[in-house]
């Protein structure tokens, strides 16, 4: 369904308190929508498109596999997720080892990201998919090594306790704390300034190294040298300084690398028959805080060798300090580590709204001034609105502000049969935006007044706000409530569903609803292959569901339609690359896994439900869906990766 037929008036009185009109470009599919932004921290960086829909109750296509025929969705897009951004001058690590300001990064650039999980996370090159700017309340995070990072409160960094928000707007989001150890290599060194001392050192390292080298080299270094000789005389350049400065040492190593150096994986090595020259190389490395060793001593007519430490910190520090931009870097596969130097020393609210930037990458993260930084997931559910499938899904929410009036009119229509209506089937009706717009109380009151049966599926604990209305509706019609709890593993939740209430908070809501007299079913959804489909995981989750008082548990195996497929593939490759081959096999023929695998999961859940006293839902609760035939692979089917 597209939205070209929707409109909203600016003066219709639908504007909630503390809302400010804004005027960013409207999506092509939302002409006439009223655009709102809010100054509260929980909605910073988000745009709401208020539309007046012509219809609210939608028929589900007959070919759909969902067990209901009619649905209501007052929102498009979901505010469960957060936005993540950093100051524009934050240096970002490129795949070749150089750095670039975040504000200058562009889609298509190759940057360094990470893949894996826990102690098995490793650095890998990744491509920038998108880049955007925003303005948000800002915080400064200071680390023990002096690194200072300016970010929004919802930005996440990787620590020894997992991904942590700088200052989360949601109470269930894990917050960064003083003493947390961040993962990464530490603060990037400042590049050298081409001062007279740097130029003299560069010329000395290049010319003396070339003279002692057995093979002359050509390249950009000689173009630089010609330019430097306009400011530094050749005799001065060849003279060993009595008291060399730090800038001279930086230039000397840059020139020496161009003459006799080479990159070997992470190490930088220098070879020369001139023992004095190599002694200066060693002294320069030591002065810059870089360890060195001489595995091959100088002997008559045989080149000696000096090399740096074989670690990523040394490799990056050498390149950044010396300006040796022609030193190739191969860091792919290097392990990501936490370090005491990267302990959080301070988190300061700047009290300012600053221009901030973010990118999305193929791995879902990037290296910001030496630490692993999270970026937005990309999900493909907004394409039909002419919005992008990533950041827009989380930050540009379509709100049907006339939902309450509309559903009353449709329920009163003589053509309406009074069929059950399902809610929460596309996006969560109790997402964070509902706390602002309060559309559900009007919808529930209309369903109550017309005694129309309905069901709600949610992950949002905000449903407890409407408990009285739910009780009133249940007194006159059938009300079915269900929560989605796919697993109770907090690590999987933080990674796979970071913007939702925790599984425990959802189960607490199940308990409150059952205590209020509602039979609450739980969808074990989605069951993730290789992560939450084991007997142990299923038994633990079903036990927690039973303890919360749920009356039934229904397994929903993971399915991957286009859009969700790309998002999940990116997340899987980043967090659990060893599971990629299995997923390729399971989803080779389409969005659904093979029937044999689904039957196996159903059997595991059924056995766990019996052990913990949960009965299965009765057939009357759901619409019968024909068993689909085995899909034939189509040429247009998206690959998982």
């Amino acid at each position: 369904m597209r939205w070209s037929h929707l409109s909203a008036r600016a003066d219709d009185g639908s504007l909630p308190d503390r809302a400010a009109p804004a005027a960013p470009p409207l999506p092509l599919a939302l002409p006439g929508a009223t655009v709102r932004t809010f100054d509260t921290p929980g909605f910073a960086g988000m745009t709401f498109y208020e539309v007046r829909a012509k219809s609210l109750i939608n028929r589900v296509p007959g070919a759909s596999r969902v067990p209901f025929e009619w649905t209501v969705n007052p929102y498009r897009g979901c505010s469960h997720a957060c936005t993540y951004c950093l100051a524009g001058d934050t240096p970002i690590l490129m795949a070749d080892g150089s750095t670039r300001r975040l504000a200058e990064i562009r889609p298509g650039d190759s940057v360094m990201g990470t893949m894996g999980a826990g102690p098995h996370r490793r650095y890998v090159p990744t491509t920038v998919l998108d880049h955007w700017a925003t303005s948000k309340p800002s915080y400064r995070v200071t680390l023990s090594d002096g690194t200072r990072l300016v970010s929004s409160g919802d930005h996440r960094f990787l620590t020894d306790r997992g991904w942590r928000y700088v200052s989360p707007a949601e109470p269930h989001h894990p917050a960064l704390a003083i003493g947390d150890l961040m993962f990464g290599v530490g603060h990037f060194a400042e590049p050298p300034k081409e001062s007279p001392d740097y130029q003299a050192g560069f010329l000395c390292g290049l010319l003396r190294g070339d003279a002692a080298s057995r093979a002359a080299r050509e390249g950009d270094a000689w173009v630089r040298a010609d330019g430097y000789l306009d400011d530094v005389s050749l005799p001065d350049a060849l003279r060993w300084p009595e008291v060399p400065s730090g800038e001279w040492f930086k230039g000397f190593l840059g020139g020496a690398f161009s003459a006799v150096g080479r990159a070997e994986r992470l190490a930088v090595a220098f070879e020369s028959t001139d023992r004095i020259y190599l002694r200066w190389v060693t002294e320069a490395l030591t002065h810059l805080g870089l360890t060195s060793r001489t595995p091959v001593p100088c002997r008559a007519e045989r080149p000696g060798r000096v090399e740096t430490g074989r670690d990523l910190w040394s490799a990056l520090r050498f390149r950044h300090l010396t300006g040796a931009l022609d030193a190739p870097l191969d860091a792919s596969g290097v392990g990501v580590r936490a370090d005491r130097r990267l302990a959080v020393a301070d988190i300061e609210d700047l009290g300012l709204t600053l221009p901030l930037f973010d990118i999305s990458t193929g791995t879902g993260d990037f290296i910001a001034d030496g630490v692993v930084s999270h970026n937005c997931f990309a999900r493909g559910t907004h394409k039909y609105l002419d919005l992008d499938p990533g950041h827009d899904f989380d930050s540009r929410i379509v709100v049907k502000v006339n939902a309450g009036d509309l559903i009353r009119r449709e329920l009163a229509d003589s053509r309406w049969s009074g069929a059950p209506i399902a809610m929460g089937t596309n996006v969560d009706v109790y997402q964070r935006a509902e706390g602002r717009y309060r559309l559900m109380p009007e919808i529930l009151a209309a369903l109550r007044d017309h005694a129309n049966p309905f069901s709600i599926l949610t992950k949002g604990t905000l449903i407890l706000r409407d408990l009285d209305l739910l009780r009133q509706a249940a007194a006159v019609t059938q009300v079915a409530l269900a929560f989605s709890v796919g697993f109770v593993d907090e690590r999987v939740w933080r990674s796979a569903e970071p913007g939702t209430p925790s599984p425990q908070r959802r189960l607490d809501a199940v308990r409150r609803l059952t205590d209020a007299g509602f039979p609450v079913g739980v969808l074990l959804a989605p069951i993730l292959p290789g992560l939450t489909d084991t007997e142990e995981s299923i038994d633990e989750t079903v036990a927690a569901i039973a303890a919360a008082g749920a009356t039934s548990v229904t397994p929903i195996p993971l399915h991957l339609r286009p859009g969700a497929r790309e998002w999940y593939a990116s997340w899987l490759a980043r967090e659990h690359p060893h599971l990629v081959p299995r997923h390729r096999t399971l989803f080779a023929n389409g969005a659904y896994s093979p029937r044999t695998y689904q039957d196996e999961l159903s059997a595991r859940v059924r056995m766990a439900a019996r052990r913990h006293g949960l009965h299965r839902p009765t057939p009357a609760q759901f619409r019968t869906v024909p068993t689909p035939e085995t899909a034939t692979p189509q040429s247009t089917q998206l690959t998982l990766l």
Side-chain angles (χ1 to χ4, degrees):
M1 175 180 179
R2 295 183 67 85
W3 294 84
S4 58
H5 66 295
L6 301 179
S7 64
R9 298 188 304 274
D11 58 348
D12 64 354
S14 64
L15 179 63
D17 63 324
R18 300 188 68 193
L26 286 169
L28 295 178
L30 294 173
T34 299
V35 185
R36 309 290 188 193
T37 60
F38 302 103
D39 58 6
T40 51
F43 296 104
M46 300 187 69
T47 301
F48 294 86
Y49 297 89
E50 296 180 0
V51 300
R52 298 189 66 83
K54 291 186 177 179
S55 63
L56 191 68
I57 302 175
N58 298 316
R59 181 188 290 274
V60 177
S64 175
R65 297 179 65 175
V66 295
F68 46 83
E69 297 182 55
W70 299 92
T71 182
V72 162
N73 292 293
Y75 300 96
R76 295 287 185 180
C78 187
S79 53
H80 270 322
C82 297
T83 55
Y84 314 95
C85 36
L86 289 164
D89 59 354
T90 305
I92 305 304
L93 182 61
M94 310 302 290
D96 63 2
S98 63
T99 65
R100 191 180 304 171
R101 295 173 67 247
L102 177 57
E104 298 169 352
I105 298 290
R106 293 294 179 265
D109 288 341
S110 183
V111 299
M112 194 67 74
T114 73
M115 290 179 63
H120 306 295
R121 187 177 290 273
R122 299 187 179 279
Y123 292 101
V124 293
T126 185
T127 301
V128 175
L129 305 177
D130 199 3
H131 178 275
W132 59 87
T134 185
S135 294
K136 297 181 67 106
S138 300
Y139 296 77
R140 180 190 293 122
V141 178
T142 303
L143 308 184
S144 295
D145 71 344
T147 301
R148 292 186 174 183
L149 296 151
V150 175
S151 76
S152 68
D154 283 331
H155 195 82
R156 281 188 288 170
F157 294 103
L158 183 62
T159 75
D160 57 336
R161 297 192 298 143
W163 290 104
R164 296 276 148 175
Y165 294 77
V166 172
S167 181
E170 295 294 316
H172 59 278
H173 287 167
L176 194 67
I178 304 298
D180 282 346
L181 301 184
M182 288 197 182
F183 277 71
V185 293
H187 178 61
F188 296 143
E190 294 291 331
K193 298 178 175 62
E194 294 195 352
S195 64
D197 273 5
Y198 177 86
Q199 294 176 343
F202 185 91
L203 289 168
C204 184
L206 180 66
L207 298 174
R208 284 185 175 276
D210 183 70
S213 177
R214 293 183 174 181
R217 294 187 183 181
E218 301 293 335
D220 293 340
W222 291 97
V223 176
R224 292 174 67 183
D226 286 340
Y228 292 166
L229 285 171
D230 292 339
D231 300 317
V232 181
S233 68
L234 187 58
D236 288 341
L238 292 173
R239 185 181 301 116
W240 294 114
E242 294 184 7
V243 184
S245 67
E247 290 302 306
W248 187 92
F249 278 131
K250 293 177 183 179
F252 175 74
L253 288 175
F257 179 84
S258 297
V260 301
R262 69 170 180 266
E264 298 178 351
R265 182 70 166 151
L266 297 179
V268 177
F270 302 85
E271 290 187 353
S272 175
T273 57
D274 187 336
R275 287 176 292 179
I276 296 176
Y277 183 80
L278 288 181
R279 196 177 304 133
W280 278 94
V281 169
T282 301
E283 184 177 349
L285 291 171
T286 302
H287 181 85
L288 298 182
L290 295 166
T291 58
S292 63
R293 66 191 192 108
T294 56
V296 180
C298 266
R299 295 179 181 175
E301 300 303 322
R302 290 183 58 186
R305 178 183 172 97
V306 175
E307 64 181 39
T308 64
R310 294 177 176 269
D311 61 89
L312 184 56
W313 180 85
S314 297
L316 294 174
R317 186 168 178 82
F318 175 84
R319 286 161 176 79
H320 299 164
L321 283 174
T322 66
L325 303 180
D326 53 345
L329 176 68
D330 180 12
S332 184
V334 174
V336 183
R337 299 288 181 265
D339 195 301
R340 277 289 165 194
R341 295 177 297 115
L342 304 183
V344 177
D346 189 30
I347 304 171
E348 178 187 1
D349 185 347
L350 296 179
L352 299 171
T353 297
L354 299 175
L356 301 173
F357 297 83
D358 195 15
I359 58 177
S360 62
T361 69
T363 60
D365 63 2
F366 56 96
I367 314 303
D369 206 1
V371 296
V372 181
S373 177
H374 199 283
N375 65 219
C376 289
F377 289 118
R379 297 182 300 285
T381 59
H382 256 26
K383 290 182 179 178
Y384 52 81
L385 294 178
D386 299 313
L387 298 172
D388 77 65
H391 180 63
D392 284 352
F393 179 83
D394 296 334
S395 62
R396 305 176 78 177
I397 312 300
V398 177
V399 185
K400 303 177 188 178
V401 293
N402 62 333
D405 293 338
L406 197 56
I407 194 169
R408 282 191 179 276
R409 187 175 72 228
E410 292 179 337
L411 292 174
D413 193 308
S414 59
R415 293 170 295 180
W416 174 243
S417 64
I421 292 174
M423 291 179 283
T425 58
N426 182 24
V427 295
D428 202 330
V429 294
Y430 282 107
Q431 59 175 281
R432 286 188 299 137
E434 171 60 18
R436 164 71 59 176
Y437 280 94
R438 300 182 62 86
L439 300 182
M440 285 302 294
E442 295 182 44
I443 293 173
L444 294 176
L447 291 166
R448 173 202 63 195
D449 294 346
H450 287 271
N452 202 104
F454 64 89
S455 65
I456 299 175
L457 170 62
T458 183
K459 294 179 182 179
T461 55
L462 186 60
I463 190 175
L464 297 174
R465 179 201 64 189
D466 296 337
L467 186 54
D468 286 343
L469 276 170
L470 292 171
R471 285 196 187 101
Q472 295 167 20
V476 296
T477 188
Q478 182 180 3
V479 176
L481 303 180
F483 264 80
S484 172
V485 183
F487 38 80
V488 292
D489 189 319
E490 296 254 331
R491 292 171 300 176
V492 177
W493 161 65
R494 289 191 180 100
S495 178
E497 299 179 343
T500 62
S502 69
Q504 187 54 56
R505 287 187 64 206
R506 283 179 251 171
L507 291 172
D508 290 343
V510 170
R511 167 58 66 189
R512 286 192 58 186
L513 290 168
T514 56
D515 288 347
F518 288 95
V520 182
V522 172
L523 299 188
L524 198 67
I527 302 176
L528 307 178
L531 294 174
T532 63
D533 62 348
T534 63
E535 289 187 16
E536 294 79 6
S537 175
I538 289 174
D539 187 77
E540 181 184 14
T541 305
V542 171
I545 291 170
T551 57
S552 66
V553 58
T554 303
I556 305 291
L558 175 71
H559 59 278
L560 298 171
R561 294 190 179 92
R565 189 183 188 95
E566 292 88 344
W567 169 83
Y568 189 81
S570 174
W571 175 82
L572 189 72
R574 181 178 70 254
E575 300 289 344
H576 306 284
H578 64 287
L579 294 178
V580 170
R582 182 181 180 188
H583 281 71
R584 283 180 177 148
T585 300
L586 283 175
F587 298 97
N589 292 335
Y592 294 89
S593 55
R595 174 60 63 185
T596 53
Y597 174 73
Q598 296 185 44
D599 290 343
E600 180 183 345
L601 290 182
S602 295
R604 290 180 181 175
V605 174
R606 187 164 57 250
M607 293 174 65
R610 286 174 177 170
R611 281 195 298 271
H612 298 288
L614 283 173
H615 65 77
R616 298 176 61 190
T618 62
Q621 288 180 259
F622 300 103
R623 180 162 62 102
T624 302
V625 181
T627 301
E629 298 179 0
T630 302
T632 303
Q634 301 293 323
S635 60
T636 57
Q637 174 62 48
L638 294 168
T639 57
L640 183 61
L641 294 172

